[in-house]
Amino acid sequence: MAIAATISVPLTSPIRRRNSLIFAGSSSSSSSTVRLSFPKYNIAGLCPRFRISASAAASSMSTQAPQKVSTAPTSFLDRREAGFLHFVKYHGLGNDFILVDNRDSSEPRVTPEQAVKLCDRNFGIGADGVIFAMPGIDGTDYTMRIFNSDGSEPEMCGNGVRCFARFIAELENLNGRHSFTVHTGAGLIVPEILEDGKVRVDMGEPILKASDVPTKLPANKDQSVIKSELDVDGVTWNVTCVSMGNPHCVTFGAKGGQNLQVDELDLAKIGPNFEHHEMFPARTNTEFIQVFSRSHLKMRVWERGAGATLACGTGACATVVAAVLEGHTERNCTVDLPGGPLQIEWREEDNHIYMTGPAEVVFYGSKSHTGTAQHSPSLQNHRFKAPPPLCANTNPNTSPTRLSNHLLYGTVEEVQI
Ligand SMILES: N[C@@H](CCC[C@H](N)C(=O)O)C(=O)O
């Protein structure tokens, strides 16, 4: 995949040097430069959406009334050529998704089978799932649907809905709008883009009733499954079952065991045995938790339909619920995931869970359905045409990636350096 630009810090000033543009930037953490390694580009040619810094993107969000900013010519995300699927790859703490603009239809533009191919990390784009931005239902602004990388459709995705909010803000070219109402399989979810670009999400209430999680594990008097015993391949685990719309099995360790050391777990070996356990009729996501303090947890996850991922938002929410119910923590916790930390609060007043974390663009891409080898002229004319060698296919290092006789073009937006 070609890298069109690299920067992770606020843009200060563009400096023209020969046939490339170099942007010097600095942040509290580092100093960096960005090089656009293609000729004859001028600063006007850099589309406003080609966000060169996270903070620049963040600063486009204000507290004022929603305001549409007209842009011309048509932006990448407005493109609708027949035969092309335009997408944006996002990640939330390394939990990565292909975001598809599906606002004109309530039918996903990609089938579950195609989603499996797109998510393939060797033969496809590579992602933990495909997310569709669709028209709202029941008075909501939008509907979010998602396919896991195995093609199954979960009810909800926490990291995904943060990416969804950032995607919508970009699609709608919104300046100043902070929150959206999103219909999901888990009901109403309300993400709010914050000033710093992070997204806080009202994830609603956890579901503890065993039959609704669902789990067949014997329930307590109040119908919940808290610190119950689950046998997995000869080991008895203590588990608490929580649904965030999607099912979660949270464990702080085996019966009689010490505080779990999550780095020592062989997730690929034990994860599938939880996921497909007969006690979970809809399969389950499983969170393995190490307790650092009453407000700090470490989590590794085996996701239903996606395997070991770098983060799981609904899993982190379910974890804090389980941690509170089992008496390990207070209601406000930092949950460290392999991809980074999430802030989770289970608020006593409304019983809702609030998740705060980042969502970032990885790259923009277009996938051809035609199977033809030539590049798209329209793509070539596009202001996201950077870098031209990608589209012109003149550079062996930047040639389009083949995907089952389909073409894939990508433009990396920003890369940490
Ligand atoms: N990674 C997501 C959860 C995605 C759905 C999950 N694999 C399931 O099948 O329930 C998150 O961040 O919540």
mmCIF file of all heavy atoms in Angstrom, residues 7-12 24-33 53-55 416-417:
data_model
loop_
_atom_site.group_PDB
_atom_site.id
_atom_site.type_symbol
_atom_site.label_atom_id
_atom_site.label_comp_id
_atom_site.label_asym_id
_atom_site.label_seq_id
_atom_site.Cartn_x
_atom_site.Cartn_y
_atom_site.Cartn_z
ATOM 1 N N ILE A 7 2.019 12.151 8.737
ATOM 2 C CA ILE A 7 2.116 13.181 9.775
ATOM 3 C C ILE A 7 1.168 12.814 10.891
ATOM 4 O O ILE A 7 0.168 12.142 10.671
ATOM 5 C CB ILE A 7 1.766 14.591 9.229
ATOM 6 C CG1 ILE A 7 2.241 15.649 10.228
ATOM 7 C CG2 ILE A 7 0.286 14.753 8.985
ATOM 8 C CD1 ILE A 7 2.305 17.033 9.663
ATOM 9 N N SER A 8 1.493 13.217 12.067
ATOM 10 C CA SER A 8 0.590 12.934 13.173
ATOM 11 C C SER A 8 0.424 14.134 14.075
ATOM 12 O O SER A 8 -0.082 14.032 15.160
ATOM 13 C CB SER A 8 1.139 11.756 13.992
ATOM 14 O OG SER A 8 2.376 12.130 14.534
ATOM 15 N N VAL A 9 0.868 15.251 13.596
ATOM 16 C CA VAL A 9 0.938 16.409 14.487
ATOM 17 C C VAL A 9 0.356 17.624 13.787
ATOM 18 O O VAL A 9 0.183 17.621 12.572
ATOM 19 C CB VAL A 9 2.400 16.690 14.864
ATOM 20 C CG1 VAL A 9 2.934 15.591 15.754
ATOM 21 C CG2 VAL A 9 3.243 16.834 13.621
ATOM 22 N N PRO A 10 0.059 18.675 14.531
ATOM 23 C CA PRO A 10 -0.530 19.852 13.902
ATOM 24 C C PRO A 10 0.364 20.425 12.815
ATOM 25 O O PRO A 10 1.576 20.549 12.990
ATOM 26 C CB PRO A 10 -0.663 20.846 15.058
ATOM 27 C CG PRO A 10 -0.681 20.008 16.275
ATOM 28 C CD PRO A 10 0.176 18.825 15.964
ATOM 29 N N LEU A 11 -0.274 20.785 11.741
ATOM 30 C CA LEU A 11 0.440 21.392 10.624
ATOM 31 C C LEU A 11 0.832 22.808 11.014
ATOM 32 O O LEU A 11 0.022 23.565 11.504
ATOM 33 C CB LEU A 11 -0.469 21.424 9.406
ATOM 34 C CG LEU A 11 0.052 22.146 8.186
ATOM 35 C CD1 LEU A 11 1.251 21.404 7.639
ATOM 36 C CD2 LEU A 11 -1.042 22.240 7.168
ATOM 37 N N THR A 12 2.066 23.143 10.791
ATOM 38 C CA THR A 12 2.430 24.534 11.038
ATOM 39 C C THR A 12 2.618 25.263 9.714
ATOM 40 O O THR A 12 1.894 26.181 9.401
ATOM 41 C CB THR A 12 3.702 24.641 11.901
ATOM 42 O OG1 THR A 12 4.703 23.827 11.305
ATOM 43 C CG2 THR A 12 3.440 24.173 13.304
ATOM 44 N N ALA A 24 6.183 20.801 8.214
ATOM 45 C CA ALA A 24 6.832 20.667 9.516
ATOM 46 C C ALA A 24 5.790 20.813 10.594
ATOM 47 O O ALA A 24 4.926 21.669 10.523
ATOM 48 C CB ALA A 24 7.899 21.736 9.686
ATOM 49 N N GLY A 25 5.851 19.952 11.570
ATOM 50 C CA GLY A 25 4.881 20.037 12.654
ATOM 51 C C GLY A 25 5.529 19.675 13.954
ATOM 52 O O GLY A 25 6.637 19.149 13.997
ATOM 53 N N SER A 26 4.848 19.968 14.996
ATOM 54 C CA SER A 26 5.364 19.568 16.300
ATOM 55 C C SER A 26 4.206 19.300 17.226
ATOM 56 O O SER A 26 3.109 19.782 17.029
ATOM 57 C CB SER A 26 6.238 20.665 16.894
ATOM 58 O OG SER A 26 5.452 21.802 17.120
ATOM 59 N N SER A 27 4.460 18.494 18.200
ATOM 60 C CA SER A 27 3.444 18.219 19.196
ATOM 61 C C SER A 27 4.142 18.116 20.531
ATOM 62 O O SER A 27 5.359 18.181 20.622
ATOM 63 C CB SER A 27 2.719 16.904 18.884
ATOM 64 O OG SER A 27 3.563 15.848 19.180
ATOM 65 N N SER A 28 3.349 17.935 21.532
ATOM 66 C CA SER A 28 3.934 17.806 22.852
ATOM 67 C C SER A 28 4.827 16.577 22.915
ATOM 68 O O SER A 28 5.795 16.521 23.642
ATOM 69 C CB SER A 28 2.848 17.718 23.906
ATOM 70 O OG SER A 28 1.961 16.693 23.566
ATOM 71 N N SER A 29 4.482 15.581 22.101
ATOM 72 C CA SER A 29 5.220 14.337 22.196
ATOM 73 C C SER A 29 6.377 14.231 21.218
ATOM 74 O O SER A 29 7.363 13.587 21.466
ATOM 75 C CB SER A 29 4.275 13.153 21.984
ATOM 76 O OG SER A 29 3.663 13.277 20.744
ATOM 77 N N SER A 30 6.268 14.866 20.078
ATOM 78 C CA SER A 30 7.314 14.667 19.089
ATOM 79 C C SER A 30 7.314 15.769 18.058
ATOM 80 O O SER A 30 6.391 16.540 17.925
ATOM 81 C CB SER A 30 7.089 13.330 18.380
ATOM 82 O OG SER A 30 5.886 13.397 17.665
ATOM 83 N N SER A 31 8.387 15.801 17.295
ATOM 84 C CA SER A 31 8.448 16.667 16.135
ATOM 85 C C SER A 31 8.430 15.782 14.909
ATOM 86 O O SER A 31 9.062 14.745 14.889
ATOM 87 C CB SER A 31 9.741 17.472 16.131
ATOM 88 O OG SER A 31 9.608 18.553 16.987
ATOM 89 N N SER A 32 7.729 16.203 13.889
ATOM 90 C CA SER A 32 7.583 15.328 12.747
ATOM 91 C C SER A 32 7.530 16.133 11.460
ATOM 92 O O SER A 32 7.303 17.326 11.457
ATOM 93 C CB SER A 32 6.294 14.520 12.864
ATOM 94 O OG SER A 32 6.244 13.884 14.092
ATOM 95 N N THR A 33 7.736 15.439 10.392
ATOM 96 C CA THR A 33 7.543 16.067 9.092
ATOM 97 C C THR A 33 6.690 15.171 8.239
ATOM 98 O O THR A 33 6.583 13.971 8.489
ATOM 99 C CB THR A 33 8.869 16.278 8.355
ATOM 100 O OG1 THR A 33 9.490 15.025 8.200
ATOM 101 C CG2 THR A 33 9.760 17.251 9.084
ATOM 102 N N SER A 53 -3.680 16.681 10.210
ATOM 103 C CA SER A 53 -3.388 16.482 11.622
ATOM 104 C C SER A 53 -4.656 16.185 12.382
ATOM 105 O O SER A 53 -5.721 16.664 12.052
ATOM 106 C CB SER A 53 -2.734 17.716 12.231
ATOM 107 O OG SER A 53 -3.717 18.657 12.546
ATOM 108 N N ALA A 54 -4.496 15.379 13.391
ATOM 109 C CA ALA A 54 -5.640 15.031 14.221
ATOM 110 C C ALA A 54 -6.205 16.272 14.871
ATOM 111 O O ALA A 54 -7.408 16.441 14.970
ATOM 112 C CB ALA A 54 -5.228 14.021 15.279
ATOM 113 N N SER A 55 -5.349 17.160 15.298
ATOM 114 C CA SER A 55 -5.863 18.326 15.995
ATOM 115 C C SER A 55 -6.546 19.281 15.033
ATOM 116 O O SER A 55 -7.466 19.977 15.397
ATOM 117 C CB SER A 55 -4.749 19.032 16.744
ATOM 118 O OG SER A 55 -3.787 19.481 15.837
ATOM 119 N N GLN A 416 1.374 7.695 11.750
ATOM 120 C CA GLN A 416 2.228 8.176 12.839
ATOM 121 C C GLN A 416 3.685 7.987 12.471
ATOM 122 O O GLN A 416 4.060 6.943 11.982
ATOM 123 C CB GLN A 416 1.933 7.363 14.106
ATOM 124 C CG GLN A 416 0.516 7.467 14.574
ATOM 125 C CD GLN A 416 0.288 8.660 15.466
ATOM 126 O OE1 GLN A 416 1.239 9.183 16.021
ATOM 127 N NE2 GLN A 416 -0.942 9.075 15.598
ATOM 128 N N ILE A 417 4.477 9.019 12.692
ATOM 129 C CA ILE A 417 5.921 8.847 12.490
ATOM 130 C C ILE A 417 6.652 9.306 13.728
ATOM 131 O O ILE A 417 6.088 9.948 14.585
ATOM 132 C CB ILE A 417 6.433 9.627 11.261
ATOM 133 C CG1 ILE A 417 6.011 11.106 11.331
ATOM 134 C CG2 ILE A 417 5.938 9.003 9.999
ATOM 135 C CD1 ILE A 417 6.577 11.951 10.255
#
